[in-house]
Short mmCIF file of all heavy atoms in Angstrom, two decimals:
data_model
loop_
_atom_site.label_atom_id
_atom_site.label_comp_id
_atom_site.label_asym_id
_atom_site.label_seq_id
_atom_site.Cartn_x
_atom_site.Cartn_y
_atom_site.Cartn_z
N LEU G 17 -13.94 1.62 -18.41
CA LEU G 17 -15.34 1.46 -18.80
C LEU G 17 -16.21 1.39 -17.55
O LEU G 17 -15.89 0.67 -16.59
CB LEU G 17 -15.53 0.18 -19.63
CG LEU G 17 -14.81 0.11 -20.98
CD1 LEU G 17 -15.04 -1.25 -21.63
CD2 LEU G 17 -15.25 1.22 -21.91
N LYS G 18 -17.31 2.17 -17.57
CA LYS G 18 -18.22 2.22 -16.42
C LYS G 18 -19.62 1.88 -16.87
O LYS G 18 -20.21 2.63 -17.66
CB LYS G 18 -18.22 3.63 -15.80
CG LYS G 18 -17.04 3.92 -14.90
CD LYS G 18 -17.17 5.30 -14.28
CE LYS G 18 -16.74 6.38 -15.25
NZ LYS G 18 -16.60 7.69 -14.68
N ASN G 19 -20.13 0.78 -16.41
CA ASN G 19 -21.53 0.41 -16.65
C ASN G 19 -21.91 0.51 -18.14
O ASN G 19 -22.91 1.14 -18.49
CB ASN G 19 -22.43 1.31 -15.80
CG ASN G 19 -23.80 0.72 -15.64
OD1 ASN G 19 -23.98 -0.50 -15.77
ND2 ASN G 19 -24.78 1.54 -15.37
N VAL G 20 -21.12 -0.12 -18.97
CA VAL G 20 -21.36 -0.05 -20.42
C VAL G 20 -22.29 -1.20 -20.84
O VAL G 20 -22.01 -2.37 -20.57
CB VAL G 20 -20.02 -0.12 -21.20
CG1 VAL G 20 -20.26 -0.31 -22.69
CG2 VAL G 20 -19.21 1.14 -20.95
N SER G 21 -23.39 -0.84 -21.46
CA SER G 21 -24.34 -1.84 -21.97
C SER G 21 -24.74 -1.45 -23.40
O SER G 21 -25.08 -0.29 -23.64
CB SER G 21 -25.60 -1.90 -21.11
OG SER G 21 -25.29 -2.24 -19.78
N PHE G 22 -24.67 -2.38 -24.30
CA PHE G 22 -25.18 -2.15 -25.66
C PHE G 22 -25.32 -3.50 -26.36
O PHE G 22 -24.88 -4.54 -25.84
CB PHE G 22 -24.24 -1.22 -26.46
CG PHE G 22 -22.89 -1.80 -26.78
CD1 PHE G 22 -22.67 -2.52 -27.94
CD2 PHE G 22 -21.82 -1.64 -25.90
CE1 PHE G 22 -21.42 -3.05 -28.24
CE2 PHE G 22 -20.57 -2.16 -26.18
CZ PHE G 22 -20.37 -2.87 -27.35
N ARG G 23 -25.95 -3.46 -27.52
CA ARG G 23 -26.18 -4.71 -28.27
C ARG G 23 -25.89 -4.45 -29.76
O ARG G 23 -26.24 -3.39 -30.27
CB ARG G 23 -27.64 -5.13 -28.08
CG ARG G 23 -27.98 -6.44 -28.72
CD ARG G 23 -29.44 -6.75 -28.56
NE ARG G 23 -29.74 -7.13 -27.18
CZ ARG G 23 -30.96 -7.49 -26.79
NH1 ARG G 23 -31.97 -7.48 -27.64
NH2 ARG G 23 -31.19 -7.84 -25.55
N VAL G 24 -25.25 -5.43 -30.39
CA VAL G 24 -25.03 -5.34 -31.84
C VAL G 24 -25.81 -6.50 -32.46
O VAL G 24 -25.55 -7.66 -32.13
CB VAL G 24 -23.53 -5.47 -32.20
CG1 VAL G 24 -23.33 -5.24 -33.70
CG2 VAL G 24 -22.68 -4.50 -31.40
N ARG G 25 -26.76 -6.16 -33.33
CA ARG G 25 -27.59 -7.20 -33.96
C ARG G 25 -26.87 -7.85 -35.13
O ARG G 25 -25.92 -7.28 -35.67
CB ARG G 25 -28.91 -6.59 -34.44
CG ARG G 25 -29.86 -6.20 -33.32
CD ARG G 25 -31.05 -5.42 -33.84
NE ARG G 25 -30.69 -4.04 -34.15
CZ ARG G 25 -30.76 -3.51 -35.36
NH1 ARG G 25 -31.16 -4.22 -36.39
NH2 ARG G 25 -30.41 -2.25 -35.57
N ARG G 26 -27.33 -9.01 -35.52
CA ARG G 26 -26.73 -9.73 -36.65
C ARG G 26 -26.82 -8.87 -37.92
O ARG G 26 -27.88 -8.32 -38.22
CB ARG G 26 -27.48 -11.05 -36.86
CG ARG G 26 -26.76 -12.04 -37.76
CD ARG G 26 -27.56 -13.32 -37.87
NE ARG G 26 -27.77 -13.95 -36.57
CZ ARG G 26 -26.90 -14.74 -35.97
NH1 ARG G 26 -25.77 -15.02 -36.56
NH2 ARG G 26 -27.15 -15.25 -34.79
N GLY G 27 -25.72 -8.74 -38.62
CA GLY G 27 -25.70 -7.96 -39.87
C GLY G 27 -25.53 -6.47 -39.66
O GLY G 27 -25.39 -5.72 -40.63
N GLU G 28 -25.54 -6.05 -38.41
CA GLU G 28 -25.43 -4.61 -38.12
C GLU G 28 -23.96 -4.20 -37.99
O GLU G 28 -23.11 -5.02 -37.62
CB GLU G 28 -26.15 -4.30 -36.80
CG GLU G 28 -26.15 -2.83 -36.42
CD GLU G 28 -26.67 -2.57 -35.00
OE1 GLU G 28 -26.88 -3.54 -34.25
OE2 GLU G 28 -26.84 -1.40 -34.66
N THR G 29 -23.67 -2.96 -38.30
CA THR G 29 -22.34 -2.41 -37.99
C THR G 29 -22.52 -1.34 -36.92
O THR G 29 -23.32 -0.42 -37.07
CB THR G 29 -21.69 -1.79 -39.26
OG1 THR G 29 -21.35 -2.85 -40.14
CG2 THR G 29 -20.42 -1.03 -38.91
#
Side-chain angles (χ1 to χ4, degrees):
Chain G
L17 297 177
K18 280 183 280 191
N19 199 23
V20 170
S21 300
F22 67 90
R23 184 183 287 182
V24 186
R25 289 172 284 117
R26 195 178 301 277
E28 183 189 9
T29 290

